[in-house]
Amino acid sequence: MKNIIVLSVLFLAAACGNQKETMQEKEATEQEIETVTEETTENYRVVGIVHVSETDCLLYIETKLKDSTVNMYPMNLDEKYMRDGMKLKFAYTLSRGAQPENCDIDMVVAMSDVTLMR
């Protein structure tokens, strides 16, 4: 009879300890998800103005992120949007593509979800 009581107490202790670890893991996972969600929604869609010229930097998009102006070189911009002064709304991700020579830009990006603004 004593063995049954001792085994029951040990089983309860082990079960409570596992539940606490599981809850801590769940909370940590939820915090990671919130952090990733905040990072992706922070710069999901931005508005920028296309600049096309015959100088060193043939094409770049000027946009405002937070409190600063940023010049982006788009790797995959469709030709129909390559007109000087065109205002676009788009999503972007940083790209590992090469920056054009003699072009003073802040980042190389891959664009998606491009919409013409009027």
Side-chain angles (χ1 to χ4, degrees):
M1 184 71 162
K2 289 182 181 179
N3 289 338
I4 294 174
I5 293 173
V6 171
L7 287 174
S8 297
V9 170
L10 289 175
F11 178 74
L12 282 172
C16 291
N18 288 341
Q19 183 178 3
K20 184 176 181 179
E21 290 174 12
T22 304
M23 291 300 290
Q24 289 173 345
E25 289 173 3
K26 181 179 177 186
E27 289 172 2
T29 304
E30 287 173 354
Q31 288 174 350
E32 289 173 6
I33 290 171
E34 287 174 6
T35 302
V36 170
T37 304
E38 287 173 4
E39 289 174 2
T40 55
T41 57
E42 182 177 329
N43 64 355
Y44 176 65
R45 301 253 303 167
V46 295
V47 176
I49 299 173
V50 177
H51 294 281
V52 180
S53 70
E54 299 296 325
T55 60
D56 293 336
C57 200
L58 299 176
L59 173 72
Y60 69 94
I61 297 176
E62 179 183 354
T63 187
K64 188 167 184 161
L65 300 179
K66 294 187 181 179
D67 295 330
S68 63
T69 301
V70 177
N71 293 329
M72 300 177 175
Y73 177 75
M75 293 295 295
N76 60 336
L77 183 62
D78 195 349
E79 284 189 38
K80 65 182 178 183
Y81 299 121
M82 291 184 186
R83 292 190 175 82
D84 195 50
M86 191 168 274
K87 193 172 184 180
L88 304 176
K89 187 173 187 178
F90 58 95
Y92 70 92
T93 55
L94 293 178
S95 174
R96 292 186 181 186
Q99 178 175 338
E101 290 183 32
N102 301 323
C103 186
D104 186 27
I105 58 168
D106 300 309
M107 61 180 75
V108 178
V109 297
M111 299 174 64
S112 62
D113 200 14
V114 180
T115 307
L116 178 63
M117 301 288 292
R118 298 195 187 256

